[in-house]
Amino acid sequence: MQLQVVLDRQGFGPGVIDGRDGLSTVNALKGFQEANELEPSGELDVPTRAVLARWEDVAATRVVRIPASWGDEVYREVPDEPEDQAKLSHLGYASLDERLAERFHTTVEVLRTLNPGGRPATGERETPASTSTPSAKTDEAPSFRAGQLVRVPNTGAGAPGGEGDADWQRTLASLGVAGTQPEAARIVVDKSDGWLKAYDAQDKLVALFTVTTGSGHDPLPLGEWGITGVARNPPFAYDPDLFWDVPDHEEEQQLPPGPNGPVGVVWIDLTREHYGIHGTPAPETIGRAQSHGCVRLTNWDAARLAQMVEGSTRVLFQA
């Protein structure tokens, strides 16, 4: 988990931080190695350990207090049917537990492991919380509660800055993502290895994220593309005609924004019609489940990428 935390802080996203050596962690380590002119083996070898040594004092976890304001808003499950989703004003978190997990780039299961019996596991020094997120209240008794001390992965707090209105700044804070990110002159998405790389104007790798790309029904459209715009906290135009696994007799719906919407908190629109790069309401599926042809990331990685790209950023999809 300490390795995942360091990689996450350096912009090489290991996906969900869970202490496991899975595809996302291997991809992130390869990206870190490439950026530091090491052999991109995905192995924690001696040269890689030597470079990582500068962050050896970064703790794997820290103890924070859940803001009291998180107890002021109602959490509700997102309906399964688009027709019912369209009736809501916001597709927010289903529970305080889910919100806490997304803030620290992990899962509810990992948080429960780090807090046996509802109390922070001991063994590391505690540091105060550094969160400034919107408020919340629940219909059901959650595993975690507002005002409680909890042990969480030691992901960095999002600092203000960058583009976007007040709502977007709150989204960045709620995801623990800094508003200022390196600029990406080009991004490359690899279908086979399931990653997205961002390169700066000097062609230096500045970020890597594991992604889910297409399916047998909706394959990734290989080739070079451009970016027509970036929508932050976007609504979603649900069109059954665009989904192979949805009956065409269903009606079109305009779905509200929110982290549990179909495209999460970001839609990066591409010059290929109906295709984009976006977030997800299910971060644990990244690198595993297929998508409907688009490129899907965790919400926190999608938020980072949204701060990196602009209309001049070139996009390459490769096999």
Side-chain angles (χ1 to χ4, degrees), residues 100-115:
L100 184 66
E102 186 127 308
R103 165 60 183 84
F104 293 101
H105 307 178
T106 190
T107 66
V108 174
E109 290 71 27
V110 170
L111 290 175
R112 289 173 179 163
T113 300
L114 293 175
N115 297 274

Side-chain angles (χ1 to χ4, degrees), residues 7-286:
L7 292 173
D8 183 85
R9 284 172 169 235
Q10 296 305 309
F12 302 98
V16 169
I17 295 178
D18 56 8
R20 298 176 181 175
D21 188 19
L23 170 66
S24 297
T25 300
V26 172
N27 280 346
L29 188 55
K30 286 181 178 179
F32 176 85
Q33 289 168 327
E34 178 182 336
N36 286 277
E37 301 181 346
L38 300 169
E39 177 65 28
S41 64
E43 300 288 338
L44 197 55
D45 51 32
V46 173
T48 304
R49 289 179 183 275
V51 176
L52 287 167
R54 74 185 72 171
W55 295 286
E56 63 184 2
D57 290 338
V58 174
T61 65
R62 71 180 189 267
V63 173
V64 302
R65 188 178 299 278
I66 301 173
S69 61
W70 283 29
D72 296 337
E73 186 181 313
V74 175
Y75 296 103
R76 56 172 62 89
E77 293 288 340
V78 175
D80 292 331
E81 297 301 323
E83 180 181 3
D84 296 325
Q85 294 178 14
K87 297 174 182 177
L88 302 177
S89 61
H90 185 71
L91 296 176
Y93 295 117
S95 66
L96 186 150
D97 297 41
E98 182 188 29
R99 181 180 186 178
L100 184 66
E102 186 127 308
R103 165 60 183 84
F104 293 101
H105 307 178
T106 190
T107 66
V108 174
E109 290 71 27
V110 170
L111 290 175
R112 289 173 179 163
T113 300
L114 293 175
N115 297 274
R119 298 177 63 85
T122 58
E124 295 184 87
R125 67 179 183 275
E126 298 182 2
T127 56
S130 179
T131 56
S132 57
T133 49
S135 54
K137 174 172 142 188
T138 123
D139 291 329
E140 302 177 359
S143 298
F144 299 99
R145 64 187 185 279
Q148 178 183 356
L149 283 174
V150 290
R151 185 169 294 282
V152 296
N154 192 20
T155 53
E163 297 182 0
D165 58 19
D167 284 343
W168 178 243
Q169 295 300 322
R170 284 192 289 269
T171 296
L172 292 177
S174 73
L175 293 169
V177 171
T180 302
Q181 299 287 339
E183 295 182 4
R186 69 182 181 102
I187 59 177
V188 180
V189 176
D190 189 274
K191 175 183 176 181
S192 299
D193 291 333
W195 48 247
L196 180 153
K197 292 180 178 179
Y199 294 88
D200 66 12
Q202 288 70 48
D203 215 33
K204 176 178 173 57
L205 180 65
V206 293
L208 179 147
F209 310 118
T210 290
V211 297
T212 292
T213 61
S215 67
H217 292 274
D218 298 297
L220 186 72
L222 304 181
E224 296 185 9
W225 310 103
I227 293 175
T228 62
V230 178
R232 299 169 173 85
N233 291 322
F236 180 73
Y238 174 77
D239 183 353
D241 292 341
L242 301 179
F243 297 92
W244 64 267
D245 54 351
V246 173
D248 289 342
H249 62 75
E250 286 197 13
E251 297 182 359
E252 295 183 6
Q253 303 289 344
Q254 183 72 9
L255 305 185
N260 269 330
V263 296
V265 300
V266 166
W267 173 267
I268 300 174
D269 198 50
L270 302 178
T271 50
R272 173 65 181 258
E273 189 177 14
H274 303 309
Y275 282 86
I277 302 171
H278 61 84
T280 180
E284 69 282 357
T285 65
I286 297 301

